[in-house]
Amino acid sequence: MHNSTSPAGARAALTPGTLALVVGVLLVQLGFLLSYIGSFHNPDPQGIPVAVVAPRQAADRIDALPGHPVAPTVVKSEREARERIQQRKAEGAYLMNPRGDRDTLLTASAAGGPQAQALRRVGEQVAAAQDRRLKVVDVTSSGQQDYESLTAFYLIVGWLVGGYLLASLLGVVAGTRPARLSQGALRLAGVAVYSVLSGLGGAIIVDPVLHALRGHFVELWWLGALLVFGTAACTMALEAFFGIVGIGIAVVIFVVLGNPSAGGAFQKHLIPSFWRAIGDWIPTGAGTTAVRNIVYFSGNGLGVPLLVLALWAVAGAALLMLGSFRRREPSMSLPL
């Protein structure tokens, strides 16, 4: 009897397919390290949108700060500045007092604690340069059970993990490519049911159970359902076209690239340009932004995030059906 643990058996197990999978896993692992450390190792404010109530000359000095940490827009009043923050057109505001030496900086820690802290440092730098004092007011803070406004990010990550794990399980158990269009449609229907339940479960956990994000149960439920469905549908579509490798591609998109760029631990204006450019267009970032805007900013600025999530869901479903329609190739089993 041939012994699989013998040198000959070991050589037989090291097929090109197995070797390719091992190399692929190594590349994903190294990409994970590069993406996370590359985006987080040196957070630096870059072009944070800020409303400024001050003479044009003072606003120009703020705009000329070394490294361009903020991008000021002059407004007429504190009320207008607050409205811009609430409408997600600005992340903070600098109010110069024309009748004294104490200015005010408005921040919104609900949009992310690190970003609010970065704005505070910039505001203190501006005030010190002009020999003025500074008062900091957090006009939209995160809840007492939502430290640094991180709950939105972890909620989205939990939903995403459920989406691509479900798709991966279906691929392993039932095959990566549905044999017929009807089977592809059946998978989508099953995923839709799962997505509704997953969205409901996440909303229950963050609202009535942990009280981390309170008062927006229904909105979060259906946002989670859309996110989970889109993630699962896209993962299944990738499996239909690339086989088991599609699971790795999904991990690269949603985790390796999506997590660091999502604005969770560090917001988009604190990370390097590559991650800042892609974050809004990946479900992780779009979902994180959507949750914060629903809970803390009266639903303002939801248009783009919801559109992004809907496009991923539609594209995933359409590509899965297209993959189901394609001629099936003989499956190749890979020895483990």
Side-chain angles (χ1 to χ4, degrees):
M1 180 181 295
H2 180 71
N3 185 359
S4 62
T5 61
S6 66
R11 286 194 297 271
L14 292 176
T15 64
T18 302
L19 182 61
L21 285 178
V22 172
V23 172
V25 170
L26 176 62
L27 292 177
V28 171
Q29 177 189 13
L30 296 178
F32 184 94
L33 294 173
L34 176 63
S35 187
Y36 273 69
I37 298 173
S39 59
F40 292 161
H41 76 286
N42 184 31
D44 183 38
Q46 304 166 60
I48 303 176
V50 172
V52 176
V53 181
R56 170 62 64 176
Q57 184 178 8
D60 290 342
R61 287 197 298 269
I62 295 175
D63 192 27
L65 289 171
H68 192 59
V70 297
T73 297
V74 177
V75 297
K76 296 180 180 179
S77 65
E78 178 179 347
R79 178 181 178 181
E80 186 177 352
R82 287 175 176 264
E83 288 176 351
R84 289 185 67 85
I85 294 172
Q86 187 65 23
Q87 294 169 1
R88 309 311 298 127
K89 296 178 181 178
E91 302 295 342
Y94 192 95
L95 315 177
M96 184 170 287
N97 184 358
R99 294 183 294 275
D101 64 351
R102 189 178 187 183
D103 299 336
T104 301
L105 176 70
L106 306 181
T107 64
S109 63
Q115 179 176 259
Q117 294 165 17
L119 281 177
R120 179 171 188 150
R121 291 192 294 271
V122 173
E124 290 171 346
Q125 177 185 349
V126 171
Q130 302 178 65
D131 196 24
R132 302 176 69 86
R133 296 179 297 162
L134 185 69
K135 179 178 68 172
V136 180
V137 179
D138 190 355
V139 296
T140 310
S141 61
S142 56
Q144 294 182 351
Q145 303 298 319
D146 182 18
Y147 178 73
E148 299 283 21
S149 193
L150 284 170
T151 301
F153 173 65
Y154 291 121
L155 176 63
I156 293 301
V157 169
W159 274 330
L160 279 166
V161 168
Y164 68 71
L165 282 183
L166 173 66
S168 301
L169 177 63
L170 290 174
V172 171
V173 172
T176 56
R177 184 185 301 173
R180 296 181 298 275
L181 286 173
S182 59
Q183 289 187 1
L186 184 61
R187 288 195 190 188
L188 287 175
V191 165
V193 174
Y194 174 90
S195 299
V196 172
L197 295 176
S198 178
L200 174 62
I204 290 174
I205 289 171
V206 297
D207 192 351
V209 174
L210 298 180
H211 307 297
L213 302 174
R214 305 184 68 172
H216 302 273
F217 181 86
V218 174
E219 297 95 323
L220 294 179
W221 174 5
W222 291 105
L223 176 71
L226 175 62
L227 180 80
V228 174
F229 180 84
T231 305
C234 287
T235 304
M236 291 191 298
L238 290 169
E239 290 175 327
F241 281 90
F242 301 103
I244 196 170
V245 175
I247 299 174
I249 298 174
V251 170
V252 169
I253 295 172
F254 299 130
V255 179
V256 174
L257 295 177
N259 284 6
S261 63
F266 294 102
Q267 288 64 60
K268 63 181 291 186
H269 295 287
L270 303 179
I271 58 179
S273 57
F274 170 75
W275 289 271
R276 189 165 66 248
I278 66 174
D280 290 338
W281 309 109
I282 298 178
T284 328
T288 300
T289 299
V291 171
R292 285 173 174 160
N293 288 354
I294 288 171
V295 175
Y296 296 119
F297 297 98
S298 304
N300 291 313
L302 272 179
V304 171
L306 290 182
L307 178 62
V308 169
L309 295 177
L311 288 176
W312 279 87
V314 171
L319 289 173
L320 175 62
M321 298 306 292
L322 180 61
S324 305
F325 182 76
R326 295 172 64 222
R327 181 173 63 90
R328 288 179 60 83
E329 302 292 341
S331 61
M332 181 183 69
S333 61
L334 297 173
L336 300 178

